[in-house]
Amino acid sequence: MTLAKSDVSALFTQAALAAERFRAGLDDRPQRPGMDYAALRAAAAADVLPTPESGLSAQETLDSLIQLAEPGLHASPAPRFFGWVIGASHPVGVAADWLTSAWGQNCGNHHTAPSAAFIEEIAARWLLDILHLPATASVGFVSGATMANFVCLAAARTHVLRQAGWDVEADGLFAAPEVQVLIGDEAHTSVYAALRMLGWGQRRLRRVATDDHGAMRPDALLAQLADCTGPVIVVTQAGQINTGAFDPLAQIVDAAHRHGAWVHVDGAFGLWARACPSTCPLTLAYEQADSWATDGHKWLQTPYDCGYAIVAHPEAHRRAMTFAASYLPQADDAERNPAEYVPELSRRARGFATWAMLRHFGRDGIATMVEQHCMLARHAAQRLADEPGIAVLNDVVLNQLIVQFGADRDPQQADALTRATIARIVADGTCFVGGAEWRGRWVMRMSIIGWETQLADVDRAVDAMLSAWRVEAGRG
Ligand SMILES: Cc1ncc(COP(=O)(O)O)c(C=O)c1O
């Protein structure tokens, strides 16, 4: 099918208008999808299901996509969306991302994509500076924190095995010295996935006990370390998914290094605490770790997908990720080949949206946003905790809250009331929240992370939560 230049122009305008309409309507619509997955499937007319035998015009294709997709879109970029931990796709990042797609660069190396490689280089330098991490660290632009954890832990595996005299790139894992992995009991599930892909089954990991908020207990780690022989990797966390708790690296990192261990930090959202003067102290000594995983598509508000694998030992990072072929240009030491820091060769140039968000916010803008979200989280917690029957179960150190409804009832009743209240809040649509199990109890999770969220949004959301709870409690 051919596309005239005027068709392309009309198509891009059509997409931009649809995007604008979607975003402009977010505040006034329910903060949940109009249709869930099952409803979307049930409603799909028979004629949209079969494989298309012939093409459709560009404009009709886009119309069909919009029609099919829009009813099932979450309001995730909206200011009262507090589900999971999802950044709000800032328009500046979205626009940069449109250009990324339109420019169509293959970000594999600096010959196929000179600008992408160069802009990644700048964005990487800015990231390290804003997060107060060593300027000599290397940065891989990956799809998210799951892959960032994977890349960092691959570098860790390479490094600790090399120190034990084993070349994992050449000889693989069979017959390699056993690497002990010590990991906090409340680590994010994606770290287990990353470790599984790297050769550590769940039962091979040594779980380290955590405190009431899910932060690693240093005494438990030291006891486990004392029991380890051979290469060791310690997996720590900045920002527990439910409580926002931080592992106390100031009490961990020295001991781990004395043991020869590699210390990794999963800081998908929590690492951004380092970008804000009032929350930075939560991350004392984090700069001494060996690797850090974080996301752009959370607190930096880039569109999906964007994460960063940051490694203090660039040679281990490159060794773990690099692959060569005669047709692929190699980089010398002063050059950046983006593929040398990530698992993929061909991929989108994520550095453009990262650069744009860092340039748009600046150091100050990021600090102010993090500060504001943490203040709003404390405000929401205070208002909720003031209501009879509601308990906020965590110390709100960051932007995360976990809330129990019916906290004065027995545990089964409290779980049922919490589930029912969450369902009522979501059905009402003023805001969106999710649930999770925390230490055997069902809780409502509220994550304040959207760049647009203001005090009035949080107050509206809390009003809706209190109304829902009062109905469930028989006081509505
Ligand atoms: C602490 C933590 N680690 C890892 C992840 C996985 O990140 P992603 O979904 O970007 O791969 C998350 C996601 O919320 C997280 O909160």
Side-chain angles (χ1 to χ4, degrees):
M1 264 192 168
T2 55
L3 263 185
K5 284 203 168 61
S6 58
D7 288 342
V8 174
S9 166
L11 185 70
F12 285 180
T13 305
Q14 184 189 354
L17 290 175
E20 203 187 330
R21 186 170 41 77
F22 173 71
R23 298 296 281 252
L26 279 178
D27 208 20
D28 299 326
R29 57 163 271 194
Q31 305 287 290
R32 55 169 158 71
M35 289 166 85
D36 65 11
Y37 173 73
L40 285 169
R41 295 184 82 199
D47 62 341
V48 298
L49 295 177
T51 309
E53 298 302 336
S54 56
L56 204 59
S57 79
Q59 190 187 341
E60 286 169 317
T61 301
L62 210 57
D63 273 340
S64 298
L65 176 63
I66 292 167
Q67 238 176 44
L68 262 183
E70 271 199 347
L73 295 179
H74 258 292
S76 26
R80 292 183 309 284
F81 183 90
F82 306 116
W84 304 287
V85 186
I86 289 186
S89 283
H90 194 287
V92 169
V94 172
D97 204 52
W98 285 348
L99 289 175
T100 305
S101 292
W103 287 338
Q105 304 292 292
N106 180 337
C107 195
N109 66 63
H110 64 292
H111 282 279
T112 57
S115 293
F118 169 59
I119 286 186
E120 263 197 20
E121 194 176 312
I122 303 172
R125 185 155 47 77
W126 290 353
L127 271 175
L128 295 176
D129 190 15
I130 286 171
L131 295 173
H132 307 293
L133 296 176
T136 49
S138 47
V139 183
F141 288 65
V142 289
S143 57
T146 304
M147 284 314 290
N149 282 321
F150 172 83
V151 170
C152 290
L153 292 166
R157 186 182 70 169
T158 291
H159 186 83
V160 297
L161 278 174
R162 253 183 117 69
Q163 283 187 324
W166 187 267
D167 182 344
V168 70
E169 279 69 43
D171 298 316
L173 274 180
F174 297 110
E178 181 168 1
V179 180
Q180 306 284 340
V181 175
L182 310 188
I183 181 168
D185 237 349
E186 298 289 352
H188 192 266
T189 175
S190 66
V191 185
Y192 293 99
L195 286 164
R196 254 195 333 266
M197 291 187 277
L198 289 163
W200 285 277
Q202 210 119 330
R203 283 200 289 267
R204 302 303 289 255
L205 307 175
R206 297 174 71 133
R207 307 274 289 248
V208 181
T210 52
D211 67 14
D212 286 350
H213 283 70
M216 190 183 270
R217 277 182 26 209
D219 59 324
L221 178 77
L222 297 188
Q224 293 253 21
L225 269 178
D227 196 33
C228 284
T229 51
V232 177
I233 297 171
V234 177
V235 181
T236 66
Q237 179 165 247
Q240 206 281 333
I241 182 83
N242 293 313
T243 64
F246 287 75
D247 289 348
L249 258 70
Q251 295 160 265
I252 288 174
V253 75
D254 273 351
H257 281 162
R258 272 199 305 279
H259 202 90
W262 176 292
V263 178
H264 170 65
V265 178
D266 172 15
F269 61 96
L271 201 64
W272 291 95
R274 291 181 68 75
C276 173
S278 65
T279 50
C280 195
L282 292 166
T283 66
L284 212 63
Y286 273 62
E287 67 285 354
Q288 293 169 37
D290 299 282
S291 58
W292 307 263
T294 193
D295 268 322
H297 57 223
K298 290 191 168 67
W299 238 335
L300 189 57
Q301 316 290 331
T302 67
Y304 282 92
D305 54 17
C306 195
Y308 315 110
I310 308 174
V311 181
H313 309 273
E315 72 293 344
H317 192 171
R318 286 171 75 164
R319 193 181 288 277
M321 293 294 127
T322 300
F323 43 91
S326 59
Y327 81 101
L328 295 174
Q330 298 300 297
D332 69 30
D333 281 347
E335 294 171 332
R336 177 184 178 84
N337 259 353
E340 290 179 4
Y341 304 96
V342 299
E344 316 101 310
L345 177 59
S346 302
R347 66 172 167 88
R348 77 186 288 98
R350 299 185 182 103
F352 291 138
T354 299
W355 185 95
M357 287 317 306
L358 292 171
R359 185 65 197 87
H360 178 64
F361 278 139
R363 199 194 297 275
D364 280 1
I366 296 171
T368 306
M369 177 177 56
V370 170
E371 172 95 43
Q372 159 97 347
H373 288 156
C374 296
M375 181 278 285
L376 293 175
R378 289 193 300 273
H379 174 76
Q382 186 62 57
R383 282 200 59 200
L384 288 166
D386 283 348
E387 174 77 9
I390 299 183
V392 176
L393 299 188
N394 63 321
D395 294 337
V396 182
V397 293
L398 203 66
N399 61 335
Q400 305 289 122
L401 272 76
I402 44 174
V403 180
Q404 194 177 40
F405 296 92
D408 46 359
R409 318 276 178 97
D410 72 47
Q412 280 83 5
Q413 274 184 313
D415 280 0
L417 283 166
T418 300
R419 284 181 193 276
T421 306
I422 294 171
R424 191 173 287 280
I425 292 166
V426 171
D428 165 69
T430 302
C431 66
F432 185 87
V433 288
E437 194 182 292
W438 174 250
R439 300 281 158 96
R441 296 271 67 86
W442 201 252
V443 291
M444 179 188 86
R445 298 184 65 263
M446 183 177 185
S447 178
I448 301 181
I449 199 161
W451 61 277
E452 241 182 331
T453 303
Q454 300 294 322
L455 184 60
D457 296 301
V458 169
D459 275 333
R460 251 180 91 183
V462 172
D463 288 346
M465 291 171 190
L466 294 177
S467 302
W469 161 239
R470 287 170 191 158
V471 173
E472 290 302 327
R475 294 189 272 116

